[in-house]
Amino acid sequence: MAFFHIVVCGGLVPDPLQTLEPVSGPAGWSLKNESLLPSILDPWAANALYEADALAKANPGSKVWLASAAPKVKLQQVLMALAQKAPFELLPVDAPAGGFTDAVECALALAGAVQSIEGLDRSRLLLFGGWESASRGAGATLSVLGEKLGLTEQFQGVDKLTVDGDGSLEILERVEGGKHQVSVLSSPPAVLGWATGGRAEPPNNPQIGMANMRALMPSLQKARAAKLPGDGLTLKSVSLPRQKRNTQVVKDMPVEQIAVEIVEWIKKKP
Amino acid sequence: MELILLLAATDAEGNLGKPALGAATAAQALASALGGAKLVAGLFGARASQAAALLAGAGFEKALILESDALSQARYATDAAAGEALVKACGATLVVAPATSRIQRIIGGLAQRCGGKVDTHLTELTAEEGAPLATRWFYRQRMSGRLKRAQRPWFMTVEAGLYPPPAGSGSPAVEKVQAALPSTLTRVTGEKSPASGAQTIRPDADLLFVAGAGWCKKQADGRLHVPEAEKVILGFLEKTQSSLGGSKSVVDQSGEGTVLSFMSHLNQVGQTGSTPRHAKGLATCCHGEEPHTVGWRFVNERRAVNLNANCGWAQGKADVLYVADAFKVMERVNDLLGG
Amino acid sequence: MDADIVCVGFGPATGGFLTTLSRGLAKSDGSPAFENRISPGSPLQVVCYERSDDLGYGVSGVVSRARSLKASFPNGEFSQLPFYSPVTEEKVLYLLDPGKASRRPSLMRAADAILKRLPGAVTDGAFALPYVPPYLHKKDGMVFSLGQFNQWVGSQLMASGLVQLWPGTPVARALFEDGKVVGIRLADQGVDKEGRPAAGFLPGMDIRAGLTVVGDGPVGPIGRQLDMHFGMPPGHAAYEWALGMKVVVDLPADTSLKAGTVLHTMGYPEPEIFGFLYVYPGNVATGGIFVPSWFDNPARTSYRYLQHWMQHPALWKHLKGASLRSWGAKSLQESGLRGEPYLVGNGFARIGEGSGSTNVLTNSGVDEAWETGAQLAEGVLELLREKKTFTKTDLEQTYVRRRRQSWVYREGQMAEKARDGFQKGFVQGVAGMLISGLTGGFLGWPGRPLAPYERIPSLADFYRGRLTEEEIDEIRKNCQLTGQSLHDALMDRVGWPPVELDGHLLVSHQDALLVGGKVQATPGFADHVVVLKPQLCKVCDRRLCVDMCSGQALGVAEDGEIRFDREKCVHCGACLWNCAKLIDALTGRSNLDFGAGAGGLHSAEN
């Protein structure tokens, strides 16, 4: 079976359970206490990483890189949670990681990191990432990056990748109506933006962690810096949705009556 | 002066779907807010000419049509090339497109190819001081921002369900665009529906039915009633043809043995799921879960059935909260809805 | 797998240890100062395993004089933390009972009556002590969030590249060989709730190390395992505990509270319950109560009391209109020196709260924990330089010697008898603290601490004079039928007013869990709370574990057994010391085992 060179691109996002509040400062919009919000690898990108790990394991000779643009200190925090899960090499870009950064600028910063990989076999390249992020949520970065790298076989919302006996790849992409579009790609290189995928989060393996960390921290120290200044982009305002409804709480109403009310409500034309 | 291009793909029948028609109205609204930008449509597909008529009344000067058998399949290489040809054919400064899976697949790469910038999932297009102003969500719909851009071309995709289809008469003139579409290594072989057989996601339904993890938890008698829950939920979906959403907890339970067999991650609404748009939403057994806040953001009328009157996630989020056992209520609702 | 030093748990103690240690691990030219014992030439391998998903989760308002922290960071680097503020104002409030439900002994009632008659003494139902006792004051200190601090320390350590921190990795047990601790075993992964291998089974790996540093906190399973294995020093036992339950709130925009304000409260909602309110910058405050093990209420709880405490007029004037940002709970080991285990042995050392460093007289624990960690690091560096191994004798001569000579020990001695009076009553307790504090620990109010399980009275005894046994039986039966909490029903019956929920600050207990954060029950790990002998629970008439469970994760099943729901557990550890059934008198082991589990509360704001 042929090997793959899999580069997973993933941004960092605040732990989704944290309270997020936008604040405006001299450098533009950011999150309140952004530097101290616990971060995780974007959930969609994490799915991509686990898929990459499984694919690499199933195809000996494969290799996985993780390219991420984020402040160094955040990256190292996330590595703590991630580096025991799958072997990978890090391609760090020391850059802002917030949702208000520009997708194209971010993609171009990552392109530099991917292009710097020594020994990357382009003909076996699979560029992985999330189909969206939980911060910017644009679903554009990976596509821009692919285009910049000249990759014109691209898939978004991927839930499944199967390598067939002839080396072709069958790919399931999410399309409208809860369905998947099935495509066959005869060979890499390609871009795959993952949705949920089908892999459980791998367990923490201390041996993987220990081995990973020996290389990860030195490469993090050498992270290339990028500014992502948001040239030409003006965020006029950012606000939390304030709409609050006057909830009518219906207690002690017999089940029968509730059912009647609900049925009437369902039947009423919106 | 800005030149706005509505970029959309036609379906197998050569028609434009609701999201594309909504994007047409959004483009029209933007043109009018800008005080008269030029408005051009760029449609691509295996058959696309007839779709121009659907844009009647939206103020399009002309419709650029790019037709090719290669476009009968939704693939990046050919779709992006078609998009590039259409953008370049008219010299668009602003490109407005629907946020469909087909467009979302290409929009980033297309923007890069045309040397532009891109913003997606926009919820409003207007103008301020003569410049376009776009509104979009950040951080999984947790905050909303309004933004401007100096660079052109600016690619924008508009969420479905926010703008009505155009209404009026006077189809734009059709102008064919030719382009050499590249060869591609990708072949679309078909579509797959969820394996369970029951199609539970219906984006066009009036009602979104949200099932929470409570359906799979021990009930008042201390026992699980998952088969009963499945029967009640499927019965309701069948009778009402509503769409099924689930909280993260309920879809994550797969593998624990107490799972709703027809529920998958595709059904998930909320933080890491989708935020579908429906006229009504009915959340059941969702106490303590997210759908009220996030998954429901684009649901107009919201009701919940829940055992806890103090549910902080329904309070202020739902219009009506029925404090009752959802098993009993929904069974009775199914009876009333009849066979 | 081998390492040189393995640490269990990442809190302030391990933070202090690793910060101090890492500064000595590299030479001035950046090259390693010490070698790995297995592969000479490579640097010393130092790893730390932490059970929770990240280093900064958990709600944790702290006021501290921060003597040790300031010594470690003389340039005040941590003042950049968002919730940092120097202490600007400090008060001790004695809270009178605004209603009639608080159980106040007659002496206290008399004092209340006198205070009320003194003109100007009582404001908003509280008497502000004219001064803060010298042993308690924090006037040169600071308020901060321990979650933010831990995270910041962790990032400094990771950036040094000299130590590895691995959150999300619970440690199952210590490894013993010939009376030595030779490392640890991590928890099995890919198992079902009972711990049986399931999909993706990965047996817990052994990490062997020359030194195992145990800083897993008051209810840490490795610390407790060592206690059981080696026993406690003669006369030592960890009998005194408390559950701290806290909230972080947004204060109303027009609050008069200034950042750095510190309020200590006592006297209400029950005399045994102490409270605190610390004000952060940006109109944010953290507040909460401590419910101690010597509050002999067999249906004691924390959440309901927290709600009554917040509504006391002296606090409500600040909190009315506030909204909940975050919520959480934690056990405190309050025995201090009397709960001090063997600090070292061959191959291991104990630091932090689990080693008896928390001081109940000065109300301080974080700084002490950090200091013990720093002391161990200095000792370890000394041993590394002298190329010695980590034997009991060597660790005693380096780490323990430093600890015994430090303020942590000196103040620990002062605190040793300080709380004994509470064994007799609230008034005696407060008097004893004052006497101890003012005599430098020389004197105290006599009283012999009892283990929690020895002192939990029956409901009939506790409610004597207020409820008859028949009434209690009826309430209990009714609760079993309706599922209502016993403590709630009892409190309602004896006159505690119902809590009017406002959906902002006063929310239901379950909503506090949801609004204040979210519990993550990481799949693939076994349940970390285990009933050892289920039949004992069936005959238990106390079931305090259920009432004191901060997350309502423990409940009574139809068959009378205790059921655990990991999806609600905030890992506070209260069940451990609230179990009324002893199964091993020698080790003091109760019927509930509390292991190191993955996941737990991700607080919405730490």
Side-chain angles (χ1 to χ4, degrees):
Chain A
M1 189 136 331
F3 68 91
F4 295 101
H5 277 181
I6 312 163
V7 179
V8 182
C9 301
L12 305 189
V13 298
D15 174 27
L17 307 175
Q18 298 277 309
T19 305
L20 304 185
E21 208 177 303
V23 288
S24 176
W29 286 90
S30 63
L31 297 178
K32 191 172 180 181
N33 299 334
E34 184 163 321
S35 64
L36 277 155
L37 288 171
S39 288
I40 57 167
L41 182 65
D42 181 83
W44 306 111
N47 295 337
L49 179 65
Y50 307 150
E51 293 286 346
D53 179 46
L55 186 64
K57 278 196 185 118
N59 296 277
S62 297
K63 202 166 166 185
V64 178
W65 289 263
L66 176 67
S68 190
K72 262 203 232 179
V73 61
K74 292 264 159 204
L75 268 172
Q76 78 185 20
Q77 183 197 351
V78 171
L79 288 180
M80 285 190 271
L82 210 60
Q84 294 192 108
K85 297 198 179 295
F88 58 86
E89 272 186 33
L90 185 66
L91 302 170
V93 178
D94 189 5
F100 306 123
T101 51
D102 180 64
V104 172
E105 286 180 356
C106 180
L108 298 184
L110 286 170
V114 178
Q115 283 161 335
S116 75
I117 300 175
E118 279 178 33
L120 181 74
D121 185 342
R122 222 189 112 86
S123 70
R124 303 304 301 164
L125 172 63
L126 292 175
L127 188 69
F128 276 20
W131 71 327
E132 270 185 16
S133 69
S135 53
R136 193 164 43 235
T141 314
L142 193 67
S143 176
V144 174
L145 173 58
E147 186 69 27
K148 173 74 184 167
L149 297 174
L151 305 174
T152 55
E153 305 297 341
Q154 298 202 11
F155 305 86
Q156 294 293 339
V158 179
D159 270 334
K160 198 171 180 195
L161 167 66
T162 317
V163 182
D164 291 330
D166 62 355
S168 66
L169 309 171
E170 188 191 70
I171 295 161
L172 263 60
E173 284 172 287
R174 285 188 186 186
V175 292
E176 281 71 16
K179 293 178 189 160
H180 285 111
Q181 173 170 300
V182 187
S183 302
V184 174
L185 169 69
S186 49
S187 77
V191 175
L192 281 83
W194 284 88
T196 309
R199 310 282 166 185
E201 186 173 324
N204 284 331
N205 184 326
Q207 279 174 320
I208 293 178
M210 195 78 90
N212 258 346
M213 217 38 122
R214 278 190 203 113
L216 292 180
M217 289 315 287
S219 59
L220 187 58
Q221 305 302 348
K222 286 181 271 178
R224 52 178 65 217
K227 280 215 165 63
L228 316 191
D231 280 337
L233 170 66
T234 311
L235 261 174
K236 299 286 292 181
S237 65
V238 183
S239 55
L240 297 170
R242 289 278 172 219
Q243 74 265 34
K244 192 164 168 66
R245 301 195 177 205
N246 290 322
T247 304
Q248 178 199 348
V249 179
V250 180
K251 280 191 214 175
D252 305 323
M253 185 188 267
V255 164
E256 176 67 25
Q257 205 180 333
I258 295 176
V260 168
E261 267 199 34
I262 290 179
V263 169
E264 278 174 10
W265 173 67
I266 292 170
K267 287 186 171 168
K268 195 182 66 185
K269 264 278 148 211
Chain B
M1 189 163 75
E2 305 276 13
L3 192 156
I4 304 173
L5 173 75
L6 166 76
L7 181 69
T10 52
D11 61 19
E13 283 75 44
N15 286 322
L16 291 172
K18 269 194 202 170
L21 294 172
T25 306
Q28 184 189 17
L30 176 59
S32 131
L34 287 168
K38 277 178 76 173
L39 203 49
V40 174
L43 309 179
F44 65 94
R47 287 184 292 151
S49 302
Q50 69 183 54
L54 297 168
L55 301 174
F60 287 92
E61 262 179 33
K62 59 179 174 183
L64 304 176
I65 303 294
L66 203 163
E67 289 179 323
S68 164
D69 286 344
L71 298 172
S72 64
Q73 300 183 8
R75 296 171 296 188
Y76 180 87
T78 41
D79 283 1
E84 182 188 8
L86 290 167
V87 171
K88 291 186 172 164
C90 65
T93 57
L94 301 170
V95 179
V96 176
T100 56
S101 62
R102 187 164 188 177
I103 294 290
Q104 281 292 130
R105 188 185 295 113
I106 61 165
I107 197 77
L110 180 57
Q112 171 62 17
R113 198 176 285 189
C114 300
K117 292 281 185 175
V118 56
D119 288 289
T120 57
H121 301 296
L122 302 178
T123 55
E124 192 186 5
L125 288 181
T126 181
E128 188 188 74
E129 293 161 355
L133 182 69
T135 305
R136 57 159 302 189
W137 293 102
F138 292 92
Y139 291 99
R140 298 296 303 168
Q141 288 81 35
R142 289 169 81 173
M143 52 193 79
S144 167
R146 298 187 308 145
L147 54 104
K148 287 182 170 183
R149 283 189 183 272
Q151 295 98 336
R152 299 288 181 273
W154 182 6
F155 291 75
M156 304 178 256
T157 64
V158 182
E159 284 288 79
L162 294 168
Y163 288 89
S169 56
S171 301
V174 169
E175 191 179 311
K176 296 261 178 157
V177 173
Q178 303 297 326
L181 298 180
S183 61
T184 167
L185 301 176
T186 301
R187 190 164 41 89
V188 176
T189 57
E191 272 191 349
K192 245 186 201 170
S193 292
S196 58
Q199 178 56 276
T200 58
I201 298 173
R202 301 183 178 99
D204 291 332
D206 283 340
L207 179 73
L208 172 71
F209 178 85
V210 183
W215 285 102
C216 304
K217 292 200 166 146
K218 284 184 185 145
Q219 301 303 312
D221 60 2
R223 297 196 174 84
L224 293 168
H225 290 273
V226 177
E228 290 92 326
E230 292 194 332
K231 190 166 156 249
V232 170
I233 295 169
L234 284 180
F236 178 78
L237 296 178
E238 192 189 324
K239 289 179 171 68
T240 56
Q241 287 299 300
S242 47
S243 188
L244 176 68
S247 63
K248 184 172 190 310
S249 310
V250 80
V251 300
D252 276 355
Q253 279 168 346
S254 51
E256 293 270 317
T258 55
V259 57
L260 298 172
S261 60
F262 45 83
M263 186 75 89
S264 80
H265 279 97
L266 294 173
N267 294 91
Q268 188 183 329
V269 298
Q271 276 292 344
T272 42
S274 63
T275 43
R277 287 162 200 278
H278 296 274
K280 298 175 196 171
L282 178 63
T284 51
C285 295
C286 281
H287 176 235
E289 301 176 302
E290 288 167 335
H292 301 311
T293 43
V294 179
W296 274 28
R297 185 139 292 152
F298 307 122
V299 171
N300 300 335
E301 295 179 34
R302 312 167 183 172
R303 297 194 177 197
V305 184
N306 193 325
L307 277 171
N308 189 329
N310 296 313
C311 172
W313 296 72
Q315 291 271 11
K317 314 285 189 322
D319 302 311
V320 183
L321 167 63
Y322 298 102
V323 182
D325 181 340
F327 275 79
K328 290 188 182 137
V329 171
M330 294 312 296
E331 268 169 19
R332 193 63 199 122
V333 164
N334 281 352
D335 290 347
L336 291 171
L337 287 167
Chain C
M1 206 172 80
D2 286 284
D4 292 288
I5 298 174
V6 63
C7 305
V8 186
F10 186 85
T14 307
F17 172 69
L18 292 175
T19 297
T20 311
L21 182 76
S22 62
R23 289 173 183 176
L25 290 184
K27 292 182 190 160
S28 53
D29 63 357
S31 64
F34 307 106
E35 289 183 338
N36 182 290
R37 68 190 169 119
I38 304 285
S39 54
S42 60
L44 202 76
Q45 187 78 263
V46 184
V47 289
C48 172
Y49 293 104
E50 160 60 36
R51 58 143 219 94
S52 82
D53 293 338
D54 202 346
L55 306 180
Y57 291 135
V59 184
S60 45
V62 175
V63 64
S64 175
R65 293 184 64 193
R67 287 169 285 180
S68 184
L69 298 183
K70 287 177 192 166
S72 290
F73 302 103
N75 301 320
E77 293 89 334
F78 46 73
S79 62
Q80 63 188 281
L81 297 173
F83 283 171
Y84 167 89
S85 170
V87 172
T88 53
E89 189 184 355
E90 187 178 19
K91 273 187 193 161
V92 181
L93 297 180
Y94 169 71
L95 306 178
L96 282 72
D97 182 7
K100 289 201 165 69
S102 178
R103 303 159 25 263
R104 300 170 99 79
S106 46
L107 248 171
M108 217 169 145
R109 287 189 190 282
D112 291 358
I114 295 168
L115 283 172
K116 277 183 192 162
R117 287 204 192 92
L118 277 177
V122 173
T123 312
D124 300 313
F127 168 68
L129 262 60
Y131 81 115
V132 180
Y135 53 84
L136 183 63
H137 85 85
K138 304 282 182 293
K139 65 185 174 204
D140 51 354
M142 60 199 208
V143 296
F144 60 102
S145 149
L146 187 57
Q148 291 177 354
F149 178 74
N150 280 345
Q151 203 182 318
W152 176 75
V153 170
S155 68
Q156 303 291 111
L157 288 169
M158 286 293 286
S160 76
L162 297 163
V163 301
Q164 291 187 5
L165 306 179
W166 296 112
T169 313
V171 175
R173 63 185 196 86
L175 301 172
F176 300 100
E177 263 173 29
D178 307 326
K180 283 196 306 197
V181 172
V182 294
I184 50 143
R185 176 167 297 167
L186 300 175
D188 292 345
Q189 295 173 83
V191 292
D192 66 11
K193 287 179 175 179
E194 283 77 37
R196 293 176 298 235
F201 177 58
L202 183 71
M205 197 169 288
D206 288 352
I207 315 290
R208 297 176 67 90
L211 176 65
T212 300
V213 176
V214 182
D216 60 354
V219 292
I222 306 306
R224 285 187 294 108
Q225 193 198 349
L226 295 184
D227 291 346
M228 275 183 228
H229 188 87
F230 294 110
M232 291 287 273
H236 284 213
Y239 281 164
E240 289 187 45
W241 295 85
L243 191 278
M245 187 172 277
K246 315 181 180 191
V247 290
V248 177
V249 300
D250 274 323
L251 294 168
D254 59 352
T255 184
S256 61
L257 291 171
K258 298 276 178 298
T261 301
V262 172
L263 303 178
H264 311 274
T265 77
M266 58 180 179
Y268 183 82
E270 293 286 15
E272 295 88 344
I273 296 175
F274 290 73
F276 67 90
L277 186 76
Y278 310 145
V279 184
Y280 294 143
N283 269 13
V284 178
T286 178
I289 57 167
F290 300 101
V291 177
S293 55
W294 41 269
F295 172 29
D296 294 329
N297 179 346
R300 63 184 171 226
T301 177
S302 306
Y303 190 73
R304 175 88 185 257
Y305 283 124
L306 177 67
Q307 290 181 313
H308 288 301
W309 175 81
M310 290 193 291
Q311 291 180 88
H312 187 281
L315 295 153
W316 196 237
K317 71 171 176 182
H318 300 302
L319 295 176
K320 190 180 178 195
S323 54
L324 185 70
R325 284 171 81 104
S326 189
W327 165 94
K330 169 194 183 295
S331 282
L332 287 93
Q333 204 270 68
E334 295 208 322
S335 290
L337 272 188
R338 282 195 190 136
E340 186 187 277
Y342 287 110
L343 291 178
V344 296
N346 289 323
F348 78 89
R350 310 273 301 262
I351 54 175
E353 187 162 309
S355 74
S357 62
T358 292
N359 192 308
V360 290
L361 181 64
T362 60
N363 254 345
S364 182
V366 171
D367 204 25
E368 284 74 4
W370 181 275
E371 177 65 19
T372 60
Q375 289 162 354
L376 174 62
E378 285 165 13
V380 166
L381 287 169
E382 190 181 319
L383 293 175
L384 287 169
R385 280 192 289 267
E386 292 171 9
K387 299 198 186 308
K388 288 187 177 166
T389 52
F390 303 107
T391 64
K392 183 172 195 215
T393 315
D394 287 338
L395 288 164
E396 272 171 350
Q397 283 168 2
T398 52
Y399 164 48
V400 179
R401 180 177 59 80
R402 283 178 166 81
R403 187 157 165 172
R404 294 285 176 254
Q405 288 169 352
S406 75
W407 59 269
V408 175
Y409 184 66
R410 212 163 44 244
E411 292 179 8
Q413 284 179 308
M414 278 172 65
E416 201 164 353
K417 296 179 210 151
R419 296 261 285 248
D420 291 353
F422 285 112
Q423 307 297 328
K424 298 285 167 65
F426 173 74
V427 178
Q428 296 90 327
V430 173
M433 276 181 81
L434 201 61
I435 294 169
S436 261
L438 297 177
T439 62
F442 186 67
L443 295 173
W445 197 285
R448 188 176 75 85
L450 295 172
Y453 57 82
E454 288 178 294
R455 60 181 305 147
I456 302 168
S458 68
L459 283 168
D461 284 341
F462 182 77
Y463 281 105
R464 186 141 311 173
R466 287 182 295 167
L467 295 175
T468 64
E469 289 197 35
E470 291 72 31
E471 282 175 305
I472 292 172
D473 274 346
E474 176 216 312
I475 291 171
R476 197 200 305 264
K477 277 188 196 126
N478 203 27
C479 283
Q480 274 163 1
L481 277 176
T482 60
Q484 193 195 2
S485 304
L486 182 61
H487 58 254
D488 265 338
L490 288 164
M491 286 176 74
D492 288 343
R493 185 68 73 91
V494 298
W496 286 96
V499 177
E500 296 288 339
L501 303 181
D502 61 14
H504 298 287
L505 183 58
L506 302 176
V507 297
S508 71
H509 193 167
Q510 203 185 350
D511 280 354
L513 263 101
L514 300 165
V515 178
K518 197 138 187 180
V519 172
Q520 298 293 293
T522 319
F525 286 91
D527 275 352
H528 55 277
V529 173
V530 179
V531 173
L532 299 171
K533 294 183 177 173
Q535 66 275 23
L536 276 182
C537 299
K538 286 189 178 181
V539 297
C540 180
D541 60 354
R542 305 292 197 271
R543 291 181 180 147
L544 249 183
C545 58
V546 174
D547 285 299
M548 275 299 279
C549 179
S550 299
Q552 296 185 323
L554 290 172
V556 185
E558 265 178 11
D559 57 9
E561 290 186 10
I562 299 295
R563 290 277 186 274
F564 173 61
D565 180 356
R566 193 181 349 154
E567 288 181 29
K568 293 180 175 176
C569 179
V570 302
H571 295 245
C572 74
C575 50
L576 183 69
W577 51 270
N578 279 287
C579 176
K581 292 288 173 193
L582 188 70
I583 59 165
D584 184 357
L586 201 64
T587 58
R589 188 172 207 194
S590 71
N591 194 30
L592 264 172
D593 197 25
F594 183 82
L601 186 71
H602 291 206
S603 56
E605 178 90 58
N606 48 31

